[in-house]
Amino acid sequence: HSLLQTEESPLVLQELVQLQLRSQRTDFEEMYHCPEGYDDAAWQFEHMRQFTMELNQLTVILHDVCSKETCPLMKATDEWLFLCAAHKKPQECSAIDYIIHTLDGTAALLNSNKWFPSRVSIPQSSLTYYKSIARRLYRVFSHAFFHHREAFDEFESQSHLCKRFVVFSKLFDLIPEKLLMIPQDQLG
């Protein structure tokens, strides 16, 4: 059991998130409700940071099966082709490059002092980024699910990351239901 930082510490929410993850809770919706006395936007911010860090683990696994040759385009199903926003003008990228660009861009944005100068209080103007971050991160899950199912299933069975992410995104209305293309009953 870890001692939490004082309530004013910028790391207290990160520590609360880490404690919840270590407790291996399965009631994910309850897990994402902001603790009383803390800023809801800062709570969401810490979870976005955590999802981004954990998605890097999936990327390492995908790197063995997802290459410029096997996945020259970032797709989920044949109906969904995603353009990479990491360039001056959005463009096609191989799936693995798209994934790396997305995670790098998300980490850079969440660590930006311009948009997120404090981890305790998030400026209202920065909240608009949550939806685009969530949509882009979800695309990583979608690609892995539809194109690298074995790797996805193995990762998901251990981490429940996609399921947790979907619960979080629905709870905070970050991704419209119509864009959630992975069948929910397939997430365990």
Side-chain angles (χ1 to χ4, degrees):
H1 176 354
S2 160
L3 292 175
L4 292 177
Q5 301 284 327
T6 63
E7 287 190 24
E8 296 80 33
S9 168
L11 300 179
V12 71
L13 288 177
Q14 178 184 357
E15 289 182 11
L16 286 171
V17 168
Q18 295 296 321
L19 280 172
Q20 286 183 329
L21 288 173
R22 283 194 298 274
S23 73
Q24 298 180 345
R25 296 173 66 170
T26 55
D27 181 2
F28 300 135
E29 190 164 327
E30 182 62 31
M31 186 168 125
Y32 294 123
H33 286 286
C34 183
E36 195 173 321
Y38 293 100
D39 181 66
D40 197 50
W43 181 245
Q44 291 176 51
F45 172 84
E46 287 303 332
H47 281 287
M48 290 291 222
R49 287 182 72 255
Q50 183 65 38
F51 289 129
T52 304
M53 289 186 291
E54 287 185 70
L55 260 172
N56 277 295
Q57 297 167 9
L58 176 59
T59 305
V60 170
I61 294 166
L62 289 178
H63 214 277
D64 292 336
V65 294
C66 185
S67 67
K68 292 178 183 183
E69 292 75 32
T70 61
C71 302
L73 298 172
M74 179 58 177
K75 289 181 159 191
T77 65
D78 287 333
E79 299 170 26
W80 293 91
L81 170 68
F82 303 113
L83 298 179
C84 185
H87 310 275
K88 287 186 186 215
K89 183 179 176 191
Q91 66 184 40
E92 292 179 357
C93 272
S94 68
I96 197 66
D97 285 347
Y98 179 102
I99 292 167
I100 292 168
H101 294 162
T102 295
L103 293 174
D104 287 350
T106 299
L109 179 61
L110 293 174
N111 287 308
S112 166
N113 285 331
K114 177 180 178 183
W115 299 110
F116 298 98
S118 164
R119 290 172 65 171
V120 179
S121 177
I122 306 299
Q124 193 66 33
S125 60
S126 298
L127 298 180
T128 58
Y129 289 107
Y130 287 180
K131 288 186 178 194
S132 65
I133 289 171
R135 278 194 321 274
R136 289 185 178 122
L137 294 180
Y138 183 76
R139 293 170 185 169
V140 175
F141 292 117
S142 299
H143 176 77
F145 179 86
F146 289 107
H147 296 277
H148 309 290
R149 186 64 185 269
E150 190 175 317
F152 175 88
D153 285 346
E154 183 177 333
F155 179 78
E156 186 65 12
S157 72
Q158 295 170 18
S159 69
H160 306 289
L161 184 61
C162 185
K163 183 171 185 159
R164 289 188 287 125
F165 185 78
V166 169
V167 168
F168 174 84
S169 296
K170 287 170 121 179
L171 184 66
F172 293 106
D173 197 29
L174 298 176
I175 302 176
E177 192 77 36
K178 67 181 180 188
L179 296 182
L180 296 173
M181 59 197 87
I182 299 172
Q184 303 303 292
D185 62 349
Q186 301 280 316
L187 295 177

